[in-house]
């Protein structure tokens, strides 16, 4: 999981979780990855699930940082073990609510993730 803070609010995204198959007793696929977003209010201690249209693929081993009013999420590994090389922004203070947007480079040069 990754988490970033905006004042009294923090957002937690993605990470490894127990798979639905493992919960049903099938240990061959014990873990999955999440694309869930949760918000916690540090002042009240309340948690809420954040619903945002068109989220990025679930991932683990990614990075995140806060820039302005957005949580930027880069890279990671998806449920099939594929290394991701994408950049997403979760805009947390928009008129239309919380929204995801994929950010693409302006040139042909690619972002690089070295593992």
């Amino acid at each position: 999981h990754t988490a970033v803070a905006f004042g009294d609010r923090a957002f937690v995204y993605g990470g490894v979780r127990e798979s639905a198959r493992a919960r049903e007793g099938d240990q061959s696929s014990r873990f999955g990855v999440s694309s869930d977003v949760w918000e916690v209010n540090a002042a009240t201690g309340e948690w809420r699930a954040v619903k945002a249209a068109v989220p990025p693929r679930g991932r683990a081993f990614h990075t995140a940082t806060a820039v302005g009013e957005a949580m930027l999420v880069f890279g990671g590994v998806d449920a099939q073990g594929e290394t991701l090389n994408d950049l997403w922004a979760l805009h947390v203070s928009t008129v239309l609510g919380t929204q995801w947007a994929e950010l693409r480079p302006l040139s042909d040069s690619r972002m690089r993730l070295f593992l």
Side-chain angles (χ1 to χ4, degrees), residues 4-5 7-8 26 28 30 52 59 64 71 86 91 96 100 102:
V4 298
D8 285 347
D26 179 358
S28 66
R30 185 164 169 83
R59 62 194 63 213
M71 175 183 191
D86 54 355
H91 299 280
L96 301 174
W100 282 107
E102 185 174 10

Side-chain angles (χ1 to χ4, degrees), residues 3-4 7 12 15 17 25-26 39 41-42 52 55-56 60 64-65 95 106 109-110:
V4 298
V12 179
R17 66 174 176 198
D26 179 358
E39 177 185 357
N41 184 313
T65 192
V95 175
L106 296 176
S109 63
R110 298 219 32 195

Side-chain angles (χ1 to χ4, degrees), residues 6-95:
F6 301 92
D8 285 347
R9 301 162 60 205
F11 290 82
V12 179
Y13 168 74
V16 176
R17 66 174 176 198
E18 185 179 40
S19 73
R21 289 172 51 187
R23 287 192 297 275
E24 295 169 359
D26 179 358
Q27 297 301 311
S28 66
S29 180
R30 185 164 169 83
F31 298 104
V33 296
S34 172
S35 62
D36 295 344
V37 178
W38 288 85
E39 177 185 357
V40 61
N41 184 313
T44 65
E46 293 181 34
W47 286 83
R48 74 173 184 94
V50 175
K51 301 298 179 201
V54 194
R57 260 189 287 183
R59 62 194 63 213
F61 310 109
H62 54 283
T63 61
T65 192
V67 176
E69 290 293 318
M71 175 183 191
L72 299 183
V73 175
F74 174 71
V77 177
D78 70 8
Q80 290 72 42
E82 180 182 341
T83 301
L84 302 172
N85 191 34
D86 54 355
L87 179 63
W88 288 79
L90 178 66
H91 299 280
V92 299
S93 292
T94 66
V95 175

